[in-house]
Amino acid sequence: MLFSPAADSNDISTDSKIIAHFDRPMTTLTSLDNPETKPVFLKFNPQIEGKIKWLGTSSFSFIPDTLRYATHYTVTIPKGTMAADGGATDQDFVNNFNTVKPVLLGS
């Protein structure tokens, strides 16, 4: 499992996408053209609303409606998430990142 932004990244832009790459197909080719809301297996803390776009059968991009400034986010794909081949993830995949902090430009 690979995530972007990378684990424990700092100063992530508030307009960043969240990308996950699996080691096996997680969706079928027929579902790639249908934009979806957040898949049930994707969990955020704090909660994020947005849309998902599959980038093939094994990768997706989550496009948040908005990310808050100066916020620590945790993204979890839980153990037992089903793959297209009927298999399941054998552990939780967790990624953390921090968004950019506002900067005072003058006084």
Side-chain angles (χ1 to χ4, degrees):
M1 167 66 61
L2 297 173
F3 278 105
S4 176
D8 301 317
S9 293
N10 291 306
D11 299 324
I12 300 302
S13 172
T14 57
D15 63 356
S16 291
K17 297 174 185 170
I18 298 162
I19 300 172
H21 303 282
F22 295 88
D23 65 352
R24 66 179 83 178
M26 298 301 285
T27 191
T28 61
L29 286 173
T30 57
S31 65
L32 292 179
D33 291 329
N34 300 324
E36 302 175 32
T37 57
K38 183 177 62 177
V40 294
F41 61 80
L42 191 58
K43 299 182 187 308
F44 292 102
N45 187 17
Q47 187 64 33
I48 305 173
E49 297 301 322
K51 301 279 186 205
I52 187 172
K53 178 176 170 116
W54 286 96
L55 307 172
T57 59
S58 303
S59 301
F60 68 83
S61 175
F62 179 78
I63 302 103
D65 291 342
T66 187
L67 294 174
R68 292 183 277 182
Y69 284 96
T71 302
H72 178 81
Y73 286 100
T74 300
V75 183
T76 303
I77 297 173
K79 176 181 177 177
T81 297
M82 297 301 294
D85 64 5
T89 56
D90 60 359
Q91 64 184 15
D92 286 348
F93 293 100
V94 180
N95 188 38
N96 299 291
F97 63 92
N98 297 293
T99 53
V100 67
K101 296 174 184 167
V103 176
L104 180 62
L105 297 177
S107 56

